[in-house]
Amino acid sequence: MRLHLSVLPGFLALFLASPALSLVANPPPAQAGAGAVSVGFSHVCTLGEDGAASCRGANASGQLGDGGSADRAEPAPVSGGLTFQSISVGHGHACGVTADGAVHCWGRNGYGELGDGSTTNRTEPVRVAGDMAFEAVAAGTNHTCALTGDGEAYCWGLNSSAQLGVAAGSPSGTPVRVETDTRFESITAGVDHTCALAGNGRATCWGSNDFVELGDSTRALGSAQPGEVDGPRYDVLSAGSNRTCGVTGGGDAYCWGNNNYGVLGDGTEERRGGPTEVAGGHDFSSISSGGVHTCALTDDGEAYCWGLNTFGQLGDGSTTNRLEPVEVTGGHTFESISAGNYGTCAITAAGEVYCWGRVTGMGGYEEGEGMDTEPTLVGGEPSSGETGSAGTPDAGPDAADRGREWAALATSLGALSAQTPPRTVQPGAPGEETRVLEPGELDGTELPPHTEADLRFMRGMIPHHAQALDMVDLLRERTSNPRLHRLALRIEISQKDEIAMMQRWLHDRGEETHGAMAQHGHGGMMDELMPGMLSPEQMAQLAEARDADFDRLFLGFMIDHHEGALVMVEELFASPGAGQGSAIYHFASDVEADQEMEIRRMRALLEGGS
């Protein structure tokens, strides 16, 4: 019997984006069974047989849904006592559908991706506004989509590339209907494009098309209007970062869009404007598009992966990139698989969760910590087979039990009860009792310690971002290139929000920004240009250019500007003790991923002569 998955991606992977996997307890067509595992940007969740969810990993935005913001090395149950029919993990948020069709979301909400009408992060599930009944949900990078019982699609969150199915523009904090007469059976959300499967197996996509991820080269500028992809009919569809993949009823896998590092699996690194068959002749039953790698399962549960392998995310025991599918080592058979941005996780029929690569953040990257090139049992050791092998420790029955407990949460709550959020106790005045502070009650004096390098990074990144906004302002009247206007909208939305976050970070610590927003055009703080920032002469040169000359100059300068931000992140993490606080660590990691993604977009525009 074949097991079909609906892989629902989320935000930004290393260099690009991270996926998310829709997990369902009572599976409709083309979706996964209970007990599946889903990898997001830097956190992992599972759905138990009873519909309860648990998560582990990074938690700065509340994306674990456990009521706090402390990172978790071990799985913790999602708060609220809800049980879900399906759950989808995005970049920094997650959403689930309950038995009555209510969608609840938690985690990061900077663009309204939780759908509750606000932009406030939530550490526990909140219901999506509108009291609508849905049957499936897909959490993308900074947007979310869902399907009603009659196959209508609704989306909310960031809309910089028309990924909500309406004209590109401001984000929406509540669901908006995708205008189409087509009725869908499954939906998948990428970084800034969305795809869905109709009942006839036809793939339909909308949003950004910078890398032909919509599967239609005639829609070069992308589209808010859903368009059908020519080619085969699919049982499974997975939108990744700037690409899309699907599996037909006959088990053939096809991918299209961006092909860096061979992520399409056709043996090349050539971009594909339409469905191109994955090499190897394997009979796949499911597929999951990660950041810059892809993984799939055969009918027999064998796992294959291809693409970037810097962190061992292909699971073949190496860090060598692969242009075609390679088998994951260990001899395991899996029932579901999810490719994240840095790593991959899969689950066996017994409920054992195995992961490889880097699945819960980038801490200790220089030392190689947290990276496995072959499947490792959650709570156990790397395994080269179900019974272990010479030179590789056997995971043992205790580790296997821990994996089963995660998948079947009904029997694991006792084991997880000790994993409550850390408590902060405030001593009382003489004669008064002590008090346990609630999350968010800490004042600036109780914040995690920071270093001078942390301060230098935050103070310097504000004028750095602000100059990018000045460059965007110049663009508006100097080019008619719609791709550049869309790129400018992305930069404007993200960097305005990040500037506000950095200012709050400094203010909470009693630090001044030294007028960085006002001074950046004159050398920035302390009259020192941050790496990649334009000199006054370069800004004047840009202001004087027009049309195609402006386009080339803007892209070249902005690439240099983004690369300077990467240098700043590198210097931060290279400074002893810096970048360790949860907020600054995750912000710097996001900057690194975002800037890398935009650099690739801009280089593609330059190479294409746009």
Side-chain angles (χ1 to χ4, degrees):
M1 176 178 175
R2 298 186 68 171
L3 176 72
H4 297 306
L5 305 182
S6 175
V7 183
L8 309 173
F11 156 138
L12 296 176
L14 174 68
F15 306 129
L16 294 169
S18 78
L21 174 65
S22 177
L23 317 174
V24 289
N26 296 310
Q31 292 201 344
V37 60
S38 174
V39 187
F41 178 69
S42 57
H43 68 298
V44 186
C45 295
T46 59
L47 186 66
E49 296 291 343
D50 62 346
S54 69
C55 304
R56 70 182 178 102
N59 197 25
S61 301
Q63 59 263 51
L64 302 188
D66 64 351
S69 58
D71 296 350
R72 300 285 188 179
E74 298 294 332
V78 173
S79 299
L82 295 169
T83 57
F84 299 106
Q85 298 294 307
S86 67
I87 186 171
S88 178
V89 179
H91 171 58
H93 72 295
C95 297
V97 184
T98 61
D100 61 358
V103 171
H104 291 78
C105 300
W106 57 94
R108 192 170 72 179
N109 198 26
Y111 302 104
E113 53 263 52
L114 303 189
D116 67 341
S118 79
T119 54
T120 302
N121 294 348
R122 307 292 186 179
T123 61
E124 297 183 352
V126 292
R127 182 165 183 172
V128 171
D131 295 329
M132 299 180 64
F134 295 103
E135 289 198 348
V137 66
T141 296
N142 293 306
H143 77 292
T144 309
C145 294
L147 293 182
T148 65
D150 61 1
E152 289 189 317
Y154 286 80
C155 298
W156 55 92
L158 185 64
N159 195 39
S160 58
S161 300
Q163 58 263 53
L164 303 189
V166 296
S170 300
S172 175
T174 57
V176 294
R177 183 178 180 274
V178 178
E179 294 298 329
T180 178
D181 294 330
T182 303
R183 293 297 178 260
F184 302 113
E185 292 196 349
S186 67
I187 192 164
T188 173
V191 178
D192 45 20
H193 79 292
T194 309
C195 294
L197 277 181
N200 62 1
R202 293 295 188 188
T204 301
C205 300
W206 60 92
S208 172
N209 201 34
D210 287 349
F211 295 88
V212 209
E213 56 264 54
L214 302 187
D216 182 356
S217 58
T218 66
R219 298 198 290 168
L221 301 179
S223 176
Q225 180 63 40
E228 192 172 280
V229 179
D230 288 337
R233 298 170 187 259
Y234 303 98
D235 281 3
V236 182
L237 202 63
S238 171
S241 56
N242 307 319
R243 71 186 190 283
T244 312
C245 295
V247 175
T248 69
D252 298 322
Y254 290 82
C255 297
W256 57 92
N258 195 26
N259 197 19
N260 285 350
Y261 306 102
V263 72
L264 301 187
D266 66 346
T268 77
E269 293 188 74
E270 297 177 14
R271 186 182 307 175
R272 302 296 185 181
T276 302
E277 189 168 3
V278 173
H282 303 286
D283 187 14
F284 291 121
S285 61
S286 66
I287 196 164
S288 176
S289 299
V292 198
H293 76 292
T294 308
C295 292
L297 293 182
T298 67
D299 283 338
D300 297 329
E302 296 173 339
Y304 287 80
C305 298
W306 56 94
L308 184 70
N309 198 25
T310 303
F311 305 102
Q313 57 262 56
L314 304 189
D316 66 343
S318 79
T319 55
T320 302
N321 301 338
R322 307 293 186 179
L323 304 183
E324 298 184 7
V326 292
E327 187 171 4
V328 174
T329 64
H332 308 287
T333 57
F334 300 111
E335 292 212 344
S336 73
I337 193 166
S338 176
N341 59 321
Y342 310 125
T344 310
C345 290
I347 193 166
T348 68
E352 297 167 329
V353 178
Y354 287 85
C355 296
W356 53 95
R358 188 186 297 273
V359 297
T360 56
M362 289 294 289
Y365 165 65
E366 293 298 331
E367 294 77 26
E369 297 175 5
M371 186 176 79
D372 295 299
T373 61
E374 60 184 62
T376 300
L377 185 66
V378 172
E381 299 289 342
S383 172
S384 294
E386 297 294 352
T387 59
S389 63
T392 303
D394 193 335
D398 293 338
D401 287 344
R402 285 193 291 272
R404 292 188 187 95
E405 284 173 354
W406 189 14
L409 289 173
T411 61
S412 70
L413 294 181
L416 294 170
S417 62
Q419 298 172 15
T420 53
R423 302 190 309 161
T424 301
V425 178
Q426 181 183 61
E432 296 182 1
E433 296 182 354
T434 60
R435 188 170 69 91
V436 177
L437 298 181
E438 297 295 327
E441 285 192 83
L442 298 178
D443 61 29
T445 64
E446 312 239 14
L447 291 168
H450 57 272
T451 68
E452 283 300 317
D454 290 332
L455 293 175
R456 186 166 59 251
F457 175 78
M458 287 301 212
R459 288 172 178 161
M461 194 60 79
I462 289 175
H464 200 279
H465 273 28
Q467 187 181 73
L469 295 180
D470 277 357
M471 295 170 68
V472 165
D473 286 340
L474 289 176
L475 178 144
R476 301 188 190 287
E477 303 299 326
R478 289 167 174 79
T479 182
S480 58
N481 188 325
R483 287 190 173 183
L484 288 193
H485 279 282
R486 213 169 66 204
L487 172 69
L489 179 60
R490 291 192 189 103
I491 293 172
E492 181 178 43
I493 290 173
S494 65
Q495 304 216 355
K496 278 185 177 179
D497 284 350
E498 289 176 353
I499 287 173
M501 185 282 295
M502 289 185 283
Q503 290 174 324
R504 286 195 303 271
W505 189 93
L506 289 166
H507 178 268
D508 289 346
R509 287 154 180 81
E511 301 290 340
E512 298 296 331
T513 62
H514 299 292
M517 283 289 288
Q519 297 178 23
H520 72 272
H522 301 286
M525 50 174 272
M526 297 180 293
D527 294 323
E528 177 187 357
L529 285 174
M530 296 297 101
M533 286 185 67
L534 275 63
S535 67
E537 293 76 18
Q538 288 173 314
M539 285 294 291
Q541 181 184 4
L542 187 62
E544 293 172 0
R546 294 293 187 278
D547 301 321
D549 289 339
F550 177 88
D551 296 352
R552 287 189 291 271
L553 204 58
F554 177 87
L555 289 170
F557 282 161
M558 192 62 83
I559 288 171
D560 292 342
H561 199 270
H562 278 29
E563 287 178 337
L566 298 181
V567 170
M568 293 172 68
V569 171
E570 182 179 357
E571 290 175 346
L572 172 72
F573 288 133
S575 300
Q580 299 304 305
S582 180
I584 193 170
Y585 166 75
H586 288 290
F587 168 64
S589 297
D590 282 357
V591 167
E592 182 178 46
D594 291 348
Q595 304 290 282
E596 283 279 7
M597 181 186 69
E598 295 296 353
I599 287 170
R600 292 179 183 278
R601 287 185 183 279
M602 291 186 286
R603 284 178 177 162
L605 291 175
L606 274 177
E607 292 168 4
S610 295

